[in-house]
Amino acid sequence: MADLSEPEGTVNWKERCLTLESQLMKFRLQASKIRELLAEKVGRMIRILSLYEWLFEEESSSLSVRGLRLQLLGFFSGGRKKKFTDTTQISNSPFIDESSGSEEEESSQSSSRTSESDSRGRSGPGSPRAMKRGVSLSSVTSDSDYAIPPDAYSVDTDYSEPEQKLPKTSSSSSDNGKNEPLEKSGYLLKMSGKVKTWKRRWFVLKGGELLYYKSPSDVIRKPQGQIELNASSHIERGDGKQTIQLTTEKRTYYLTADSPNILEEWIKVLQNVLKIQAASPLFIQPEIKPTMKGLLTKVKHGYSKRVWCTLVGKTLYYFRNQEDKFPLGQIKLFEAKVEEVDRSCDSDEDYEASGRSLLSTHYTVVIHPKDQGPTYLLIGSKHEKDTWLYHLTVAAGSTSVNVGSEFEQLICKLLNVEGDTTSQIWRHPTLCHSKEGITCPLTTLPSEALQTEAIKLFKTCQLFINAAVDSPAIDYHVSLAQSALQICLTHPELQNEICCQLIKQTRRRHPQNQTGPIQGLQLLALCIGLFLPQHPFLWLLKLHLKKNADSRTEFGKYAIYCQRCVERTQQNGDREARPSRMEILSTLLRNPYHHSLPFSIPVHFMNGIYQVVGFDASTTVDEFLNTLNQDTGMRKPAQSGFALFSDDPSGKDIEHCLQGNIKICDIISKWEQASKEQHPGKCEGTRTVRLTYKNRLYFSVQVHGETDREKLLLVYQTNDQIVNGLFPVNKELAMELSALLAQVEIGDFERPFSTPAGQVTSQSKSNQTLKQVLERFYPKRYRLGCSEEQLRQLCQRLSTRWMALRGHSAADCVRIYLTVARKWSFFGAKLFAAKPLTTSSLEKSFIWFAVHEDGISILDYSTMRLTVTYTYKSLMTFGGYQDDFMLVVNDAQTKDKATEKLLFAMTKPKILEITLLIASYINNFHQQKGAAHHLSAPALLTPQSGQKLKEMGSQPLLTNNRPTKCPTLL
């Protein structure tokens, strides 16, 4: 039997390796003990020097000691992470232990530092000199920690702690385990989409996005891919112990870690990110309006960082910069203690001596959440500090009356008594109507310029209220209202101010004797139709309106209307544009209380009629169309394919498709402003927007559900295409279709009377009617250049065909018309004229683009015969390219050249129109199929859009193509 024992000498080598390994462990332990001993000695020396610096008053010796201490720190910092004390611990309160964690502590994810939570002894109040130097007594007496004074580094710089590249595992600072990591990086195996193989990639989770690269050295380059995480994403464990399934809106990803422990780390971090996104209103409601926002310096546990802060509700979010969508962290303000830090004992020399930029001009606000350590906010100006302090105090639920302006303090007092109507606070002069102007704003504002603007705003409100509303002064009121509200839209900080001013000016000290001025409530109605104030001003507004609501008086009716406006604005959000002239006149001249929809505008149809539709200040296009569809008996736009269009304020023959989430009042206002800019001084106030409702997207599967009104409008829209040469019909067919439309609109053709006198009169009327029908329904190209005799023959032919339809109902004629028109394979498509610019098989002077539900077809310009069709699946990129329209297609049928770039000359409005139309068809297809991959048309041809379209092009979009045979109507 063969000897299976190990070769000679193998055991000796194993023993030697074990011996070396044990010796190495001993050396490591010895080095660790030496390092700890060195750390203890250096820490003691630093504390002794700090105490020495505190005891001696001479600045020169203090500076020399400080220099020595900083040298020791610099020598020792290479081997141990620094733990800083808060730079703003300069208050007269004792320095307590800072080691308690908080959920809202910032996730310093980009640097892999871990904040060690050493136990620090509590101490009583220190001397003012010790607090002045920023040295806590706990750092003096503790044997296991040391501190860096506030003058040793700058908090104005963005990062006092060193920024490092993302290591393999990057997490947030952990305070007693309460803080959760939000960032991480490391290798994972990712299953590729097309070929099911595992590929090793370096993943980086940062800012709510999961990026992956080929290797860690590629993080400075563009990532190979990006996985967007949001509240709808979720994680599931895969079949294996080391595999997870990450499902997003776009697709499902399969990721495998090197070990179960690493997988658990990734799952924890990803769940933390998704949990914040799901809980944060910033992600659930992106349109939410923050109470306050600005760039501040945040200091906690000695770490300072310049962050962009946003106060939403009762939570303060902070970001790396203003553009970031994913917060570094959040601070829960409910029941938190918010106060200003008294720094009157500071001296400029303390901060200027080290050449740093933390001067006494910085104001400090401390937030101390319940059962958590404090967070300090350093603010650059007194105005900003006052504003932040007030709003943070309100968000914390405090009823303190020591912050804010006099007006705001009175509101706090009213909150304390729950708005008791019998309280004498209501009669305070600051809360009541004033004939004189104000000397200071009613609310805290973050700058002196805004304070000055607030005082001017009050004067504007007084002028609006005091000037009588009559014919000569009506334009004056329009101008005052538009200018005041435009300022508030430009500077959102003034929105609380104007609401408070109007509440004040519509209150009397003795309401039982007289009511406030009605014009004040009219301006308030215009104001809250645009935006609402923040809490507690919104509470005050609702209480004020409730007290004055009375259907028996004009003032009370306007108060009830204002209550409706508040509800609608809360439902649909703020507006974007100031009120239009129409909106202001309707509010001033007719009491909107009597109208559930106080404004109205005509909507025109392709058959020449119009429908007047009512709306209010917050009505969106979708809501407007719901009302229109109910009145006219049509289906929803998603089924009918109809859309609302506006004309161009320039007067050119250009139409703009209106998006569903835009508000009708904003459309009218923006159109009005653009018209004034393009036509200054001409017909001011008389021109208004023209809205048209017609088919934009045509789907063959929706034909069976068409209503009679939809069929009728489709007939007239098809006729418009025929008249303008966008539909292929010969002369005979055109004459038959014209006769059908004449029967639909006019009815049976009346023959001339038999009496000679009456026959002449009736003959002339009949000829005039026939000419009008030809002009409206017969193609222009067949009428141009016709002589009188030829026109007479056309009229004769038309009368013959028209009389043949006698007795047919309008519904029958519409059915016949659509049956004939739908024989053309591109019925319902939108045609665009273009000139090819690339050298290819399409070397024509002009061609037709036909955009339809299955793709884009190129038709011959003269015959309208099909040349080629590109399905949406084959589209790689499309949209405006410099001054031209570009199509990048991947034609699988072409073996020589798979990808082809096509350029076409078109006008810019048409380029935008065709681009949006193509994107709408693609989006609609995915919506119908239940996919969540949406194209944003305005973002086409951006660096990311090419990849999106490429991914879209790899999916099987179509199961059937349009027929390629020639048009059957010719």
Side-chain angles (χ1 to χ4, degrees):
M1 178 178 267
D3 187 8
L4 300 178
S5 61
E6 294 181 349
E8 185 179 356
T10 303
V11 178
N12 295 336
W13 276 108
K14 287 185 178 180
E15 291 177 352
R16 291 183 63 182
C17 289
L18 291 174
T19 303
L20 291 174
E21 187 174 355
S22 63
Q23 291 177 353
L24 181 61
M25 291 295 295
K26 290 180 181 179
F27 288 144
R28 286 179 177 174
L29 290 173
Q30 292 176 359
S32 177
K33 291 180 180 179
I34 294 173
R35 187 164 191 79
E36 290 179 359
L37 182 63
L38 179 62
E40 182 180 354
K41 290 184 177 180
V42 173
R44 287 178 180 176
M45 291 177 65
I46 291 173
R47 283 187 286 276
I48 292 172
L49 291 173
S50 299
L51 185 61
Y52 180 85
E53 178 186 1
W54 166 57
L55 292 173
F56 287 89
E57 298 293 334
E58 293 82 359
E59 189 67 21
S60 59
S61 62
S62 176
L63 287 174
S64 62
V65 171
R66 181 184 306 157
L68 178 58
R69 179 160 49 86
L70 290 177
Q71 287 181 11
L72 286 170
L73 286 174
F75 168 78
F76 188 63
S77 63
R80 181 179 176 184
K81 294 289 182 184
K82 301 180 183 178
K83 173 111 178 157
F84 299 147
T85 57
D86 288 339
T87 61
T88 52
Q89 291 180 351
I90 318 170
S91 63
N92 292 326
S93 60
F95 290 93
I96 61 174
D97 183 15
E98 296 283 335
S99 61
S100 61
S102 61
E103 290 181 359
E104 74 278 355
E105 173 56 26
E106 73 172 308
S107 311
S108 306
Q109 306 98 334
S110 58
S111 60
S112 61
R113 50 174 168 51
T114 301
S115 190
E116 300 173 358
S117 301
D118 299 325
S119 59
R120 302 163 67 179
R122 297 181 178 270
S123 60
S127 66
R129 185 64 181 174
M131 298 173 187
K132 179 178 176 182
R133 291 298 180 188
V135 181
S136 71
L137 295 184
S138 62
S139 68
V140 175
T141 57
S142 173
D143 290 336
S144 61
D145 201 3
Y146 58 78
I148 289 183
D151 53 355
Y153 65 100
S154 168
V155 295
D156 274 349
T157 58
D158 209 0
Y159 310 106
S160 57
E161 70 271 23
E163 286 284 345
Q164 302 175 5
K165 289 185 177 180
L166 280 167
K168 185 173 183 178
T169 301
S170 176
S171 62
S172 63
S173 57
S174 175
D175 294 323
N176 291 345
K178 290 187 178 181
N179 206 25
E180 297 175 336
L182 296 176
E183 291 193 359
K184 184 177 174 60
S185 61
Y187 275 113
L188 291 173
L189 293 176
K190 171 185 170 293
M191 181 177 286
S192 60
K194 296 180 180 179
V195 182
K196 302 301 181 182
T197 58
W198 293 97
K199 293 185 178 180
R200 189 173 178 84
R201 293 290 180 261
W202 178 263
F203 281 80
V204 175
L205 176 61
K206 184 176 181 180
E209 294 180 342
L210 189 59
L211 312 176
Y212 53 90
Y213 307 84
K214 195 170 184 179
S215 65
S217 59
D218 294 334
V219 294
I220 59 174
R221 302 190 180 99
K222 184 178 179 180
Q224 286 192 336
Q226 173 181 340
I227 303 176
E228 295 183 3
L229 305 175
N230 53 37
S232 63
S233 305
H234 63 275
I235 307 170
E236 297 179 3
R237 295 182 181 273
D239 297 335
K241 294 182 179 180
Q242 299 167 206
T243 302
I244 58 172
Q245 178 179 325
L246 178 58
T247 304
T248 66
E249 286 187 345
K250 294 182 179 179
R251 54 176 289 193
T252 299
Y253 298 87
Y254 296 91
L255 306 174
T256 298
D258 292 339
S259 68
N261 292 336
I262 296 178
L263 182 71
E264 292 300 324
E265 292 178 7
W266 275 104
I267 292 177
K268 181 180 179 181
V269 177
L270 287 169
Q271 287 177 341
N272 292 340
V273 171
L274 297 180
K275 181 172 63 176
I276 286 184
Q277 289 183 336
S280 172
L282 296 175
F283 303 99
I284 300 174
Q285 297 174 302
E287 71 281 359
I288 194 168
K289 183 171 65 174
T291 306
M292 277 290 294
K293 56 186 177 181
L295 192 64
L296 304 177
T297 299
K298 174 182 168 293
V299 183
K300 185 161 186 178
H301 294 300
Y303 294 108
S304 71
K305 195 177 189 69
R306 290 286 281 178
V307 291
W308 178 262
C309 295
T310 301
L311 177 60
V312 180
K314 297 182 181 299
T315 306
L316 180 67
Y317 300 91
Y318 45 94
F319 306 79
R320 281 193 180 88
N321 51 60
Q322 187 175 356
E323 289 73 27
D324 272 10
K325 295 181 180 180
F326 192 80
L328 289 171
Q330 54 185 333
I331 302 176
K332 300 291 185 181
L333 295 172
F334 183 67
E335 295 185 351
K337 183 179 180 182
V338 181
E339 59 184 355
E340 182 182 4
V341 175
D342 181 15
R343 295 176 51 192
S344 58
C345 60
D346 294 354
S347 66
D348 290 351
E349 291 79 10
D350 289 332
Y351 303 103
E352 293 174 343
S354 61
R356 304 294 183 175
S357 56
L358 177 59
L359 304 177
S360 58
T361 54
H362 284 80
Y363 296 85
T364 306
V365 173
V366 60
I367 304 173
H368 203 145
K370 192 176 181 180
D371 301 328
Q372 295 175 4
T375 299
Y376 296 85
L377 301 177
L378 272 61
I379 307 171
S381 69
K382 183 179 183 302
H383 299 298
E384 285 184 280
K385 181 265 298 180
D386 291 339
T387 309
W388 276 105
L389 181 62
Y390 172 75
H391 288 292
L392 289 171
T393 302
V394 171
S398 173
T399 55
S400 171
V401 294
N402 299 322
V403 296
S405 64
E406 183 181 16
F407 188 90
E408 291 167 336
Q409 291 178 12
L410 290 170
I411 296 178
C412 288
K413 292 179 180 179
L414 287 173
L415 279 169
N416 290 335
V417 298
E418 297 181 352
D420 183 10
T421 55
T422 61
S423 174
Q424 292 298 318
I425 302 173
W426 288 108
R427 297 187 178 183
H428 195 284
T430 305
L431 293 176
C432 299
H433 181 274
S434 173
K435 293 182 179 180
E436 296 77 22
I438 57 176
T439 57
C440 61
L442 300 182
T443 60
T444 54
L445 295 170
S447 70
E448 188 174 352
L450 288 174
Q451 291 183 346
T452 304
E453 202 63 49
I455 297 174
K456 295 180 181 178
L457 201 59
F458 189 83
K459 294 179 181 178
T460 304
C461 293
Q462 284 184 311
L463 291 173
F464 185 95
I465 293 171
N466 297 329
V469 177
D470 51 20
S471 297
I474 196 69
D475 286 330
Y476 179 64
H477 283 83
V478 171
S479 177
L480 285 174
Q482 288 183 339
S483 62
L485 295 177
Q486 181 61 58
I487 290 172
C488 295
L489 289 173
T490 306
H491 304 284
E493 300 88 349
L494 294 173
Q495 293 177 5
N496 290 335
E497 178 70 24
I498 191 173
C499 290
C500 292
Q501 290 179 3
L502 292 173
I503 293 172
K504 170 184 171 65
Q505 291 303 94
T506 51
R507 292 196 69 257
R508 299 288 191 183
R509 296 190 66 180
H510 303 285
Q512 65 273 16
N513 298 330
Q514 54 181 339
T515 59
I518 291 181
Q519 290 168 218
L521 271 187
Q522 290 172 337
L523 183 56
L524 181 60
L526 293 170
C527 177
I528 59 183
L530 268 65
F531 49 77
L532 292 177
Q534 300 288 339
H535 179 78
F537 311 115
L538 181 58
W539 170 83
L540 179 67
L541 172 64
K542 290 182 177 180
L543 194 61
H544 172 58
L545 296 176
K546 184 178 180 181
K547 288 176 61 178
N548 290 279
D550 188 357
S551 59
R552 296 169 297 179
T553 64
E554 285 295 301
F555 188 86
K557 290 177 180 178
Y558 268 102
I560 295 174
Y561 172 67
C562 287
Q563 288 179 316
R564 296 180 195 163
C565 289
V566 170
E567 294 176 1
R568 289 287 290 152
T569 306
Q570 284 183 316
Q571 178 183 353
N572 284 355
D574 292 355
R575 292 252 301 272
E576 297 178 357
R578 68 190 188 188
S580 62
R581 175 185 171 86
M582 177 275 299
E583 184 178 351
I584 297 173
L585 293 181
S586 298
T587 304
L588 294 179
L589 300 181
R590 61 174 187 173
N591 194 326
Y593 164 79
H594 300 288
H595 310 275
S596 59
L597 298 173
F599 316 126
S600 59
I601 191 172
V603 177
H604 298 268
F605 299 98
M606 295 300 292
N607 60 344
I609 66 172
Y610 64 88
Q611 176 79 28
V612 177
V613 183
F615 58 97
D616 61 20
S618 298
T619 300
T620 62
V621 171
D622 283 337
E623 294 173 337
F624 185 85
L625 290 180
N626 285 335
T627 304
L628 177 62
N629 291 333
Q630 290 175 4
D631 294 343
T632 57
M634 298 180 65
R635 294 175 299 172
K636 295 180 180 180
Q639 297 172 320
S640 66
F642 277 68
L644 191 64
F645 295 82
S646 72
D647 63 335
D648 194 83
S650 66
K652 298 179 181 179
D653 187 19
I654 302 173
E655 290 183 324
H656 304 278
C657 181
L658 305 179
Q659 301 299 317
N661 59 341
I662 303 176
K663 297 179 176 62
I664 293 293
C665 282
D666 282 340
I667 294 169
I668 297 173
S669 178
K670 291 179 179 180
W671 193 98
E672 182 184 89
Q673 293 181 51
S675 179
K676 286 182 179 180
E677 293 173 359
Q678 298 183 16
H679 306 281
K682 294 182 180 180
C683 305
E684 186 170 342
T686 59
R687 298 185 72 236
T688 185
V689 63
R690 179 185 172 91
L691 300 179
T692 307
Y693 196 44
K694 62 180 184 179
N695 181 268
R696 180 170 180 259
L697 304 177
Y698 181 80
F699 306 105
S700 55
V701 295
Q702 299 289 350
V703 170
H704 299 293
E706 286 177 344
T707 64
D708 292 340
R709 178 59 64 94
E710 290 174 22
K711 293 177 181 178
L712 179 65
L713 297 180
L714 273 176
V715 165
Y716 276 93
Q717 190 165 339
T718 304
N719 171 75
D720 183 73
Q721 291 179 311
I722 291 174
V723 170
N724 293 292
L726 301 176
F727 201 96
V729 291
N730 54 31
K731 293 182 179 181
E732 289 299 319
L733 184 57
M735 186 62 68
E736 291 181 5
L737 295 177
S738 299
L740 284 168
L741 264 180
Q743 182 70 14
V744 169
E745 185 158 313
I746 302 174
D748 292 342
F749 181 70
E750 296 295 337
R751 295 183 178 182
F753 295 125
S754 58
T755 59
Q759 187 174 3
V760 174
T761 305
S762 181
Q763 185 71 40
S764 61
K765 288 184 178 179
S766 299
N767 289 338
Q768 186 177 0
T769 302
L770 291 171
K771 288 181 180 179
Q772 290 176 352
V773 169
L774 287 174
E775 187 175 351
R776 287 188 57 191
F777 304 140
Y778 198 65
K780 292 180 181 178
R781 65 182 185 274
Y782 294 153
R783 289 186 282 110
L784 290 178
C786 288
S787 63
E788 286 294 330
E789 179 60 24
Q790 290 173 329
L791 284 175
R792 189 187 63 79
Q793 292 177 1
L794 286 176
C795 291
Q796 182 65 33
R797 289 163 53 198
L798 176 61
S799 64
T800 303
R801 284 168 172 76
W802 192 354
M803 285 188 290
L805 296 172
R806 176 176 294 272
H808 284 72
S809 65
D812 286 340
C813 294
V814 168
R815 178 181 53 80
I816 296 170
Y817 192 106
L818 289 178
T819 301
V820 173
R822 281 181 171 137
K823 290 183 179 180
W824 188 39
S825 56
F826 295 106
F827 176 84
K830 302 299 178 291
L831 269 61
F832 300 85
K835 183 177 181 180
L837 298 179
T838 54
T839 303
S840 66
S841 59
L842 307 174
E843 295 179 355
K844 304 286 185 181
S845 57
F846 281 96
I847 54 95
W848 289 111
F849 269 123
V851 182
H852 48 83
E853 59 181 326
D854 294 338
I856 305 171
S857 297
I858 296 179
L859 311 180
D860 182 79
Y861 191 75
S862 58
T863 64
M864 289 192 178
R865 296 180 185 274
L866 177 66
T867 302
V868 63
T869 295
Y870 299 106
T871 63
Y872 293 124
K873 179 181 178 180
S874 65
L875 283 185
M876 304 293 291
T877 305
F878 62 96
Y881 176 75
Q882 297 178 354
D883 294 332
D884 305 315
F885 178 73
M886 181 176 71
L887 282 178
V888 178
V889 295
N890 186 4
D891 192 356
Q893 299 177 356
T894 306
K895 297 182 180 180
D896 299 335
K897 192 176 183 181
T899 302
E900 187 177 6
K901 176 181 176 182
L902 306 174
L903 286 178
F904 303 88
M906 298 175 68
T907 61
K908 288 187 177 180
K910 290 298 180 182
I911 290 176
L912 178 61
E913 183 181 351
I914 190 174
T915 302
L916 295 176
L917 186 62
I918 295 171
S920 295
Y921 269 117
I922 296 174
N923 287 339
N924 190 277
F925 176 84
H926 285 281
Q927 290 171 3
Q928 290 180 350
K929 294 297 183 181
H933 180 74
H934 299 283
L935 279 178
S936 176
L940 297 174
L941 294 185
T942 57
Q944 295 82 8
S945 64
Q947 179 66 24
K948 291 182 178 180
L949 289 169
K950 187 174 182 180
E951 294 176 1
M952 177 200 67
S954 64
Q955 302 176 9
L957 293 181
L958 304 171
T959 56
N960 60 335
N961 295 326
R962 284 187 171 270
T964 58
K965 60 182 179 181
C966 298
T968 57
L969 303 186
L970 290 178

